[in-house]
Amino acid sequence: EKKQTINFGAGPAKLPQSVLFQAQKELMDYNGIGISVLEMSHRSSDFNKIMKSTETLLRELLSIPDNYKIMFLQGGGSGQFSAVPLNLIGLKQDRCADYLVTGTWSSKAAKEAEKYGKVNVVHPKQDSYTSIPTSSSWSLTSGASYLYYCCNETVHGVEFNFIPDTHGAVLVSDMSSNFLSRPVDVSKFGLIFAGAQKNVGCAGVTVVIVREDLIGYALKDCPVVLDYQVQAENNSLYNTPPCFSIYIMGLVLDWIKNNGGVDAMETLSKKKSSMIYDIINSSNGFYTCPVDVLCQSRMNIPFRVGKAEGDEAVEKKFLERASNLGMISLKGHRSVGGIRASLYNAVTVEEAAALASYMKEFLKEHQ
Ligand code: PMP
């Protein structure tokens, strides 16, 4: 008999089972129209309804104010590393932007932005990505076009539990890996983007939520598909959008709504992640998470096994045994090693509990 597989992958990641069933049911014949969403014109009225309802659901789930545009774009989170400076760095004459660099993804974003303007990392350089530099150490640039940060660093497991104070400057956030895992006051942001393949769907679509008055400042070399003004005016249909990924995202948003919305997702994320942190914290150093307790991520938990810097032989065994139990994709990112458990919205409390109980057992055997 096939064991049940539990997917702790960092993205693309687990989708709710009911979403997969529905997509399967509708795959050959969407809503009785005789064709699949995969075959449908992006300009058809049926696809238009999918786009509209997906946008409406998202607006509702995050209480997105009317003066924000929502776009469904291609190019991934990495595409937005370029699109953000291409569209926003020209907001102010100086063409400079402030960045918080708290891990791999914000570091990549800052590096990309350097192609288009001046980038200031606002805090002292960190030796490792295990904490968020205290805001009293930040020195924001006056005249900066925006302040950028990554709300949850997927590789390093560093998550912001506060919204940075920009002293009036435009705030931009990459929420790819904690999107819709808790409520967010969108009105505090100039722009939020998130790739769908972690918390809200499959790869292919990136959500961009942008305040209307920030649209229209793209540099003249900005590629047309990345130009927010062009995409916003065309309701993300300037070119063919990732139709099927948008459809899947709609199904996931519906699932979030039916399961209590973002408040419920937050409660569950705390419950799931505490189960794992509790074991780590009570393991007398057998399991170690290098991240400062103030910013330990609810979504991605990186940890080492055997000793603080990780005992690779023990970690190998940990992963093998986990895989025999059906728990997959627990290997840490290749840049940091060790283990990483990702507990996105679709991962159930029972699945997190199964990992916790396996960790407890493994600890017992190795003590
Ligand atoms: N930002 C974050 C926080 C991510 O985790 C990732 C991907 N893991 C990206 C950006 C890049 O996304 P993509 O691979 O879709 O370009």
Side-chain angles (χ1 to χ4, degrees), residues 29 70 121 189 194 266 288 303 337:
D29 181 3
I70 299 175
V121 176
F189 294 83
E266 179 175 41
T288 47
F303 62 92

Side-chain angles (χ1 to χ4, degrees), residues 8-29:
F8 291 107
K14 191 191 172 195
L15 285 165
Q17 200 178 40
S18 63
V19 166
L20 292 176
F21 277 131
Q22 188 166 349
Q24 181 185 47
K25 197 175 97 198
E26 295 176 339
L27 185 68
M28 301 301 289
D29 181 3

Side-chain angles (χ1 to χ4, degrees), residues 116-188:
Y116 308 109
K118 185 166 165 22
V119 167
N120 293 314
V121 176
V122 302
H123 50 80
K125 195 173 164 13
Q126 304 203 88
D127 296 333
S128 63
Y129 295 130
T130 53
S131 64
I132 295 170
T134 159
S135 47
S136 61
S137 74
W138 305 354
S139 80
L140 305 188
T141 314
S142 78
S145 294
Y146 59 86
L147 171 67
Y148 178 105
Y149 77 107
C150 177
C151 198
N152 183 70
E153 285 285 356
T154 321
V155 172
H156 292 89
V158 170
E159 183 176 29
F160 278 74
N161 60 15
F162 65 96
I163 297 178
D165 182 0
T166 65
H167 305 287
V170 170
L171 184 61
V172 174
S173 187
D174 172 2
M175 296 195 184
S176 294
S177 51
N178 64 357
F179 195 54
L180 297 193
S181 71
R182 64 182 180 198
V184 174
D185 181 355
V186 174
S187 73
K188 294 243 163 45

Side-chain angles (χ1 to χ4, degrees), residues 51-297:
M51 286 278 269
K52 280 260 158 52
S53 65
T54 304
E55 177 176 339
T56 303
L57 265 170
L58 185 57
R59 230 174 244 290
E60 186 185 326
L61 285 168
L62 274 187
S63 309
I64 301 174
D66 289 343
N67 62 326
Y68 284 75
K69 286 274 186 200
I70 299 175
M71 292 176 281
F72 302 110
L73 306 181
Q74 308 207 40
S78 306
Q80 292 307 308
F81 295 170
S82 324
V84 164
L86 279 163
N87 283 277
L88 302 183
I89 211 158
L91 278 171
K92 296 261 175 78
Q93 236 172 7
D94 290 352
R95 275 204 198 178
C96 107
D98 282 346
Y99 276 71
L100 292 166
V101 176
T102 55
T104 300
W105 297 109
S106 47
S107 164
K108 288 193 169 177
K111 191 153 175 256
E112 182 65 13
E114 280 171 5
K115 293 181 184 167
Y116 308 109
K118 185 166 165 22
V119 167
N120 293 314
V121 176
V122 302
H123 50 80
K125 195 173 164 13
Q126 304 203 88
D127 296 333
S128 63
Y129 295 130
T130 53
S131 64
I132 295 170
T134 159
S135 47
S136 61
S137 74
W138 305 354
S139 80
L140 305 188
T141 314
S142 78
S145 294
Y146 59 86
L147 171 67
Y148 178 105
Y149 77 107
C150 177
C151 198
N152 183 70
E153 285 285 356
T154 321
V155 172
H156 292 89
V158 170
E159 183 176 29
F160 278 74
N161 60 15
F162 65 96
I163 297 178
D165 182 0
T166 65
H167 305 287
V170 170
L171 184 61
V172 174
S173 187
D174 172 2
M175 296 195 184
S176 294
S177 51
N178 64 357
F179 195 54
L180 297 193
S181 71
R182 64 182 180 198
V184 174
D185 181 355
V186 174
S187 73
K188 294 243 163 45
F189 294 83
L191 184 144
I192 292 169
F193 70 85
Q197 69 268 28
K198 295 151 199 306
N199 258 327
V200 291
C202 63
V205 61
T206 305
V207 179
V208 177
I209 303 167
V210 59
R211 214 174 65 212
E212 272 167 358
D213 62 293
L214 303 175
I215 296 175
Y217 293 90
L219 303 182
K220 72 172 189 343
D221 292 335
C222 179
V224 67
V225 292
L226 294 182
D227 188 324
Y228 296 150
Q229 182 165 28
V230 173
Q231 290 290 9
E233 279 174 356
N234 288 280
N235 294 315
S236 313
L237 294 172
Y238 171 76
N239 62 318
T240 314
C243 302
F244 198 75
S245 303
I246 293 170
Y247 156 72
I248 293 289
M249 192 167 78
L251 297 183
V252 175
L253 299 184
D254 217 22
W255 174 87
I256 293 176
K257 183 180 170 182
N258 293 332
N259 283 275
V262 287
D263 291 300
M265 295 303 126
E266 179 175 41
T267 306
L268 290 173
S269 73
K270 285 181 179 163
K271 189 166 174 181
K272 289 180 287 183
S273 56
S274 324
M275 286 179 186
I276 308 303
Y277 285 119
D278 285 350
I279 307 265
I280 293 173
N281 294 337
S282 60
S283 72
N284 281 322
F286 180 72
Y287 297 117
T288 47
C289 172
V291 181
D292 185 339
V293 287
L294 292 173
C295 54
Q296 284 178 339
S297 170

Side-chain angles (χ1 to χ4, degrees), residues 12-50:
K14 191 191 172 195
L15 285 165
Q17 200 178 40
S18 63
V19 166
L20 292 176
F21 277 131
Q22 188 166 349
Q24 181 185 47
K25 197 175 97 198
E26 295 176 339
L27 185 68
M28 301 301 289
D29 181 3
Y30 177 75
N31 211 14
I33 63 170
I35 61 166
S36 172
V37 177
L38 288 164
E39 312 169 288
M40 200 181 272
S41 162
H42 59 295
R43 308 212 181 266
S44 64
S45 68
D46 291 296
F47 186 70
N48 197 270
K49 280 186 207 142
I50 292 175

